[in-house]
């Protein structure tokens, strides 16, 4: 059994021989190798870290404000 290896350009190599295919859509995926699309997944959500920090500070501040102004939360009665 002889293995055929196909690359992105539509050429098929078998051993040392390189065969060209008659694909009508040669280079259809060339846009995927454009530099604009290379590093999309390194930082998919660019503002998520600062947003989490700011939101956490807001929640902690609101809890502290309510604790100071209203006192500790009421104790829940046991249901037993």
């Amino acid at each position: 059994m002889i293995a055929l290896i196909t690359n992105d350009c539509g050429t098929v190599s078998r051993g040392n021989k390189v065969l060209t295919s008659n694909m009508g859509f040669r280079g259809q995926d060339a846009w995927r190798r454009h530099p604009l699309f290379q590093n999309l997944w390194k930082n998919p959500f660019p503002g998520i870290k600062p947003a989490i920090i700011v939101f956490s500070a807001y929640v902690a501040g609101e809890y502290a404000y309510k604790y100071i102004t209203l006192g500790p939360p009421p104790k829940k009665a046991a249901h037993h």
Side-chain angles (χ1 to χ4, degrees), residues 29-78:
D29 293 329
W31 63 272
R32 296 177 192 264
R33 291 184 297 274
H34 192 274
L36 182 65
F37 298 108
Q38 290 296 319
N39 299 322
L40 288 179
W41 290 106
K42 284 188 177 180
N43 194 5
F45 306 110
I48 194 75
K49 288 179 185 177
I52 290 172
I53 292 169
V54 169
F55 182 72
S56 300
Y58 167 75
V59 170
E62 184 179 12
Y63 182 80
Y65 174 75
K66 286 184 178 180
Y67 187 84
I68 291 169
T69 57
L70 301 175
K75 303 280 186 201
K76 293 185 178 180

